[in-house]
């Protein structure tokens, strides 16, 4: 793996660019403006535009386009507007109006973003003034369609922490107490020959041979066999994940698959049955039989209990997010935004996603912890709803995952290494905005985590900014963390060698992302309340671009706590300076012990 040398750049620093402009009165004005630019980021062009602000109307500004971002700065004296949009966030770019369009600001570009924003820029109609801007934006926002590299591969940022070293599967399974006499580690997939969307290292029942695994793989969709995700530290029950069995319309059976699930069940002697949670609505599971899929029926899998969790598929989730976006941007007025949400059935969309996902994860966690039963979780292919359920259940059960590093490991393990299709669901660098594979599956997971953090404000080491930073860089293409669909593709592209990890940024600035109320607790299980009354709209994320909406203010106690921490740091710094200045006097035995300077080492503050 590529190691990250000591920090050479401050990634948050701004490079000052001297931009000369001729004002209306013909005078050359040299405006030294701070235009943010990362190491490896190259400015391509800039152009004067009219930004059609949905909240404040037309604003004259200058837009700068680099190989990483679109950056707009207002040119109007009464507006300090700045837009900073990573090009990876852009989903669609459309031309607005034509050469013969009439009406003020009717000619320009309409940009749809993946982070709940829509941007409109008006340009002069003379001389096809938008053509170059449209072509440059299209080339760099959708590099895959133009044989250009995604920005992560040209990003030259350096950090003092190597985020690629955060997750080591052997160490994580060892932390869980694995392998043991019931479970073993296998490298059967080290060349991705068993399953090209699984990681190289898998944990499987001790009694199952590698030949058994190969036979089971033939009966599971995409060869995604049941493998261990987590083991309970006390009762040794497990969470196992996989894809649907290939039952088909004829009701096919596979003795190896049935035996394998029985072997998993027998690793837990406390309960006579293995609990199976199928994330899909039952009608969808039945319908999947027509395409060769299906579910575990009672007559084939005798010692199992099957429950359907009614979580909708990626297409329903995608439409749900679209409806939320239509509500919150840009039409929400602060005076009546709650009634607006209710009138457009926002709660129904939340129920279809956050409510059902959280409810399902609670069932999984409770069955393992209180029911003392091992559980198997799957949906269709085992890389969307399955990842939501296993990771949330593990977050509820294992306090380690509520730390900053633990959560990073959880995301790397359950989402990235086990093949959630980030490239397909997000569309990194891809111009096909209408692709049916796009869906906000990972966003919903992070929303569920935020809901839990609201209900348990002392249980998580990380704060809201941590979650929002993860989501922002899910789209930005600045880091390699979320690129591609699976580990085999990342290995082919040498992602860990050629790109920077998002965890490098976060772990180099950990204090920024810490929750001051965090209280570390061992083995405390969290059961969030998933009722409609307790679910909230994440205003600071979904409506953060709307200046008319008051953001959810930080807890006043938390705010005061942060101020006191800053004050404490300031006092400590001053105290150290005084101690250093008086060290010579303090070491002189002839100095009177009652002198104020000698008392300095014993000075204490209330902090």
């Amino acid at each position: 793996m590529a190691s990250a040398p000591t920090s050479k750049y401050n990634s948050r620093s701004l490079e000052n660019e001297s931009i000369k402009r001729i004002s209306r009165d013909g005078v050359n004005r040299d405006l030294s403006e701070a235009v943010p630019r990362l190491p490896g980021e190259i400015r391509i062009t800039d152009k004067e535009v009219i930004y059609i602000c949905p909240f404040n109307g037309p604003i004259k500004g200058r837009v700068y386009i680099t190989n990483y971002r679109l950056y707009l700065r207002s040119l109007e004296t009464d507006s300090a507007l700045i837009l900073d949009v990573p090009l990876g966030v852009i989903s669609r770019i459309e031309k607005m109006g034509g050469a013969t369009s009439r009406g003020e600001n009717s000619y320009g570009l309409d940009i749809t973003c993946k982070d709940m924003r829509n941007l409109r820029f008006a340009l002069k109609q003379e001389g096809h003034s938008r053509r170059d801007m449209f072509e440059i934006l299209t080339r760099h926002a959708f590099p895959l369609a133009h044989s250009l590299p995604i920005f992560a591969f040209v990003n030259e940022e350096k950090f003092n922490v190597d985020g690629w070293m955060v997750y080591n599967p052997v160490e994580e399974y060892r932390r869980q107490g694995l392998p043991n006499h019931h479970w073993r580690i296998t490298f059967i997939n080290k060349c991705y020959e068993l399953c090209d969307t699984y990681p190289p290292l898998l944990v499987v029942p001790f009694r199952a041979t590698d030949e058994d695994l190969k036979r089971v793989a033939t009966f599971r969709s995409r060869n995604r066999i049941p493998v261990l995700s987590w083991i309970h530290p006390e009762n040794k029950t497990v969470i196992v994940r996989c894809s649907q069995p290939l039952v088909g319309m004829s009701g096919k059976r596979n003795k190896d698959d049935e035996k394998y699930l029985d072997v998993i069940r027998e690793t837990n002697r406390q309960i006579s049955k293995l609990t199976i949670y199928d994330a899909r609505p039952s009608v969808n599971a039945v319908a999947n039989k027509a395409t060769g899929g299906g579910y575990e029926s009672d007559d084939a899998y005798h010692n199992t209990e099957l429950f359907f969790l009614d979580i909708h598929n990626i297409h329903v989730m995608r439409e749900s997010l679209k409806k939320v976006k239509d509500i919150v941007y840009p039409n929400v007025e602060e005076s009546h935004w709650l009634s607006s949400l209710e009138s457009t059935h926002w709660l129904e969309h939340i129920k279809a996603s956050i409510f059902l996902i959280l409810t399902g994860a609670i069932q999984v966690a409770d069955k393992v912890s209180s029911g003392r039963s091992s559980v198997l979780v799957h949906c269709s292919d085992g890389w969307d709803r399955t990842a939501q359920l296993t990771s949330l259940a593990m977050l509820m059960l294992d306090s380690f995952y509520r730390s900053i590093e633990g959560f990073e490991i959880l995301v790397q393990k359950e989402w990235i290494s086990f093949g959630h299709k980030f490239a397909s669901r997000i569309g990194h660098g891809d111009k096909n905005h209408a692709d049916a594979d796009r869906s906000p599956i990972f966003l919903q997971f992070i929303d569920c985590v935020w809901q839990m953090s609201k209900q348990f404000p002392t249980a998580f080491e990380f704060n809201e900014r941590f979650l929002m930073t993860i989501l922002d860089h899910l789209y930005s293409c600045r880091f390699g963390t979320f690129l591609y669909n699976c580990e085999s593709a990342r290995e082919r592209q040498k992602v860990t060698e050629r790109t920077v990890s998002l965890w490098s940024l976060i772990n180099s600035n950990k204090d920024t992302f810490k929750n001051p109320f965090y209280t570390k607790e061992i083995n405390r299980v969290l059961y969030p309340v998933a009722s409609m009354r307790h679910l909230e709209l994440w205003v600071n994320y979904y409506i953060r671009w709307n200046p008319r909406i008051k953001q959810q203010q930080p807890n006043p106690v938390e705010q005061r706590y942060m101020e006191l921490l800053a004050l404490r740091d300031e006092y400590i710094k001053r105290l150290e300076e005084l101690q250093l200045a008086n060290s010579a006097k303090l070491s002189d035995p002839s100095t009177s012990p009652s002198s104020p300077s000698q008392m300095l080492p014993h000075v204490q503050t209330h902090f």
Side-chain angles (χ1 to χ4, degrees):
M1 288 191 182
S3 61
T6 305
S7 179
K8 181 179 176 184
Y9 305 98
N10 180 345
S11 64
R12 293 173 292 174
S13 66
L14 305 179
E15 287 191 27
N16 288 328
E17 294 185 345
S18 182
I19 304 161
K20 290 189 176 181
R21 298 204 194 103
I22 300 176
S23 63
R24 289 179 181 175
D25 57 10
V27 179
N28 270 337
R29 291 197 177 142
D30 187 358
L31 304 179
S32 293
E33 296 177 296
V35 177
R37 219 163 50 172
L38 299 168
E41 185 176 358
I42 302 167
R43 201 179 90 189
I44 297 165
T45 190
D46 60 275
K47 185 179 285 286
E48 199 167 292
V49 299
I50 301 293
Y51 169 55
I52 314 299
C53 178
F55 313 108
N56 301 312
I59 297 173
K60 186 179 180 181
R62 180 165 289 272
V63 67
Y64 304 89
I65 300 172
T66 73
N67 56 342
Y68 172 67
R69 80 183 82 213
L70 179 155
Y71 188 85
L72 175 89
R73 183 183 293 279
S74 169
L75 296 178
E76 298 182 3
T77 55
D78 60 344
S79 172
L81 175 78
I82 287 177
L83 288 179
D84 191 349
V85 185
L87 299 183
V89 168
I90 295 175
S91 174
R92 179 172 57 183
I93 306 169
E94 294 179 300
K95 292 178 178 177
M96 180 176 69
T100 58
S101 295
R102 294 292 175 262
E104 190 177 12
N105 301 326
S106 60
Y107 176 86
L109 297 176
D110 199 334
I111 299 173
T112 305
C113 298
K114 300 168 185 174
D115 63 354
M116 313 297 286
R117 282 185 284 188
N118 287 338
L119 309 174
R120 298 180 72 196
F121 298 105
L123 295 102
K124 296 175 181 177
Q125 288 174 287
E126 304 86 47
H128 304 287
S129 65
R130 73 178 171 193
R131 180 185 295 166
D132 60 335
M133 185 173 168
F134 175 80
E135 290 176 353
I136 288 169
L137 273 176
T138 301
R139 277 175 58 80
H140 293 280
F142 312 123
L144 297 184
H146 299 88
S147 301
L148 291 173
I150 288 174
F151 179 75
F153 290 100
V154 297
N155 183 6
E156 297 175 2
E157 286 180 275
K158 308 293 181 185
F159 296 94
N160 55 12
V161 176
D162 184 3
W164 294 123
M165 305 300 290
V166 163
Y167 175 54
N168 180 315
V170 173
E171 289 180 6
E172 167 54 15
Y173 287 121
R174 188 178 293 143
R175 183 192 69 83
Q176 295 187 33
L178 298 165
N180 61 24
H181 59 286
H182 285 305
W183 296 91
R184 68 183 179 93
I185 290 175
T186 176
F187 292 92
I188 187 176
N189 202 43
K190 65 180 178 180
C191 296
Y192 306 103
E193 292 176 353
L194 178 74
C195 174
D196 62 357
T197 60
Y198 263 6
L201 186 150
L202 304 170
V203 176
V204 298
F206 192 85
R207 287 175 49 206
T209 67
D210 284 357
E211 289 305 312
D212 292 333
L213 303 181
K214 291 175 183 176
R215 289 191 291 270
V216 172
T218 64
F219 196 66
R220 289 283 163 174
S221 178
R222 315 281 182 173
N223 290 24
R224 293 172 66 90
I225 63 170
V227 294
L228 182 146
S229 280
W230 187 80
I231 184 168
H232 196 285
E234 294 169 1
N235 64 36
K236 304 304 177 186
T237 54
V238 296
I239 297 175
V240 172
R241 62 179 294 169
C242 62
S243 61
Q244 65 182 335
L246 301 178
V247 175
M249 292 297 289
S250 61
K252 285 186 291 186
R253 292 180 60 172
N254 183 298
K255 293 296 183 184
D256 293 300
D257 192 71
E258 293 166 22
K259 179 184 174 185
Y260 184 69
L261 261 60
D262 217 37
V263 170
I264 292 173
R265 178 188 64 82
E266 288 174 352
T267 62
N268 172 30
R269 302 283 184 180
Q270 301 166 86
I271 299 291
S272 61
K273 287 186 179 290
L274 173 69
T275 304
I276 300 174
Y277 286 108
D278 190 324
R280 301 167 292 183
S282 58
V283 63
N284 292 25
V286 172
N288 281 157
K289 283 187 172 184
T291 55
Y295 55 91
E296 295 84 356
S297 61
D298 293 340
D299 55 340
Y301 298 86
H302 300 298
N303 298 312
T304 64
E305 288 182 299
L306 176 64
F307 299 93
F308 293 102
L309 297 178
D310 297 324
I311 302 172
H312 297 292
N313 61 26
I314 61 170
H315 312 296
V316 175
M317 298 302 192
R318 181 177 60 248
E319 293 308 309
S320 174
L321 183 67
K322 280 183 181 177
K323 288 172 181 174
V324 173
K325 181 176 179 178
D326 290 343
I327 298 164
V328 303
Y329 189 96
N331 301 314
V332 181
E333 298 289 343
E334 184 182 345
S335 58
H336 58 80
W337 72 275
L338 272 174
S339 60
S340 172
L341 289 176
E342 289 166 4
S343 67
T344 43
H345 307 292
W346 174 80
L347 287 179
E348 290 180 13
H349 307 312
I350 279 293
K351 184 178 178 180
S353 53
I354 306 304
F355 170 73
L356 290 171
I357 295 164
L358 271 177
T359 302
I362 291 167
Q363 290 183 60
V364 172
D366 188 54
K367 183 63 75 170
V368 169
S369 182
S370 302
R372 296 180 174 272
S373 170
S374 291
V375 302
L376 180 146
V377 182
H378 71 70
C379 47
S380 299
D381 292 316
W383 50 44
D384 289 318
R385 289 166 285 192
T386 299
Q388 290 175 330
L389 291 168
T390 57
S391 54
L392 285 170
M394 290 159 68
L395 194 66
M396 294 172 192
L397 290 164
D398 193 335
S399 59
F400 170 71
Y401 296 125
R402 298 171 215 149
S403 67
I404 289 176
E405 187 173 323
F407 190 80
E408 293 167 352
I409 288 171
L410 181 67
V411 170
Q412 282 287 156
K413 179 179 179 296
E414 289 301 296
W415 290 86
I416 296 169
S417 77
F418 272 101
H420 174 64
K421 297 172 67 177
F422 281 104
S424 299
R425 299 292 177 257
I426 306 302
H428 297 125
D430 184 6
K431 67 178 181 180
N432 187 9
H433 64 87
D435 190 331
D437 272 348
R438 302 279 178 91
S439 193
I441 301 299
F442 188 73
L443 165 60
Q444 290 170 336
F445 160 67
I446 296 293
D447 196 335
C448 287
V449 176
W450 179 81
Q451 301 286 345
M452 288 178 62
S453 72
K454 291 289 286 183
Q455 293 188 29
F456 301 98
T458 66
F460 296 85
E461 185 186 16
F462 49 82
N463 57 21
E464 181 183 58
R465 181 181 293 184
F466 175 79
L467 298 176
M468 292 176 67
T469 299
I470 290 174
L471 287 179
D472 285 343
H473 293 299
L474 171 67
Y475 306 119
S476 74
C477 295
R478 177 175 161 186
F479 301 101
T481 305
F482 298 116
L483 299 184
Y484 302 102
N485 283 332
C486 56
E487 293 286 56
S488 59
R490 293 183 197 100
E491 196 169 294
R492 286 194 300 272
Q493 297 298 328
K494 297 182 169 60
V495 168
T496 58
E497 298 170 31
R498 299 171 58 205
T499 72
V500 180
S501 167
L502 169 59
W503 315 132
S504 298
L505 168 74
I506 288 174
N507 294 344
S508 296
N509 304 278
K510 262 189 179 178
D511 287 345
T512 307
F513 303 104
K514 282 187 175 178
N515 168 22
F517 294 131
Y518 174 58
T519 303
K520 187 174 182 179
E521 295 177 293
I522 306 299
N523 298 335
R524 179 194 176 193
V525 180
L526 304 183
Y527 290 121
V529 180
S531 70
M532 289 298 134
R533 196 163 53 87
H534 287 83
L535 293 179
E536 300 181 35
L537 175 66
W538 189 2
V539 172
N540 284 358
Y541 179 76
Y542 291 109
I543 317 187
R544 59 179 159 158
W545 311 117
N546 190 332
R548 295 175 184 170
I549 296 297
K550 288 180 180 175
Q551 301 292 289
Q552 290 168 333
Q553 296 301 318
N555 185 312
V557 177
E558 179 179 353
Q559 204 165 16
R560 181 58 181 155
Y561 179 80
M562 297 303 288
E563 291 170 0
L564 290 172
L565 284 178
L567 195 61
R568 179 200 65 180
D569 293 341
E570 185 182 337
Y571 277 128
I572 289 173
K573 184 180 178 183
R574 287 169 61 186
L575 185 60
E576 288 171 348
E577 289 171 352
L578 287 169
Q579 287 173 329
L580 192 64
N582 289 276
S583 59
K585 293 180 181 179
L586 293 171
S587 60
D588 186 354
S590 63
T591 306
S592 170
S594 60
S595 68
S597 61
Q598 279 203 329
M599 297 299 290
L600 280 171
H602 309 290
V603 172
Q604 294 184 349
T605 71
H606 295 297
F607 307 111

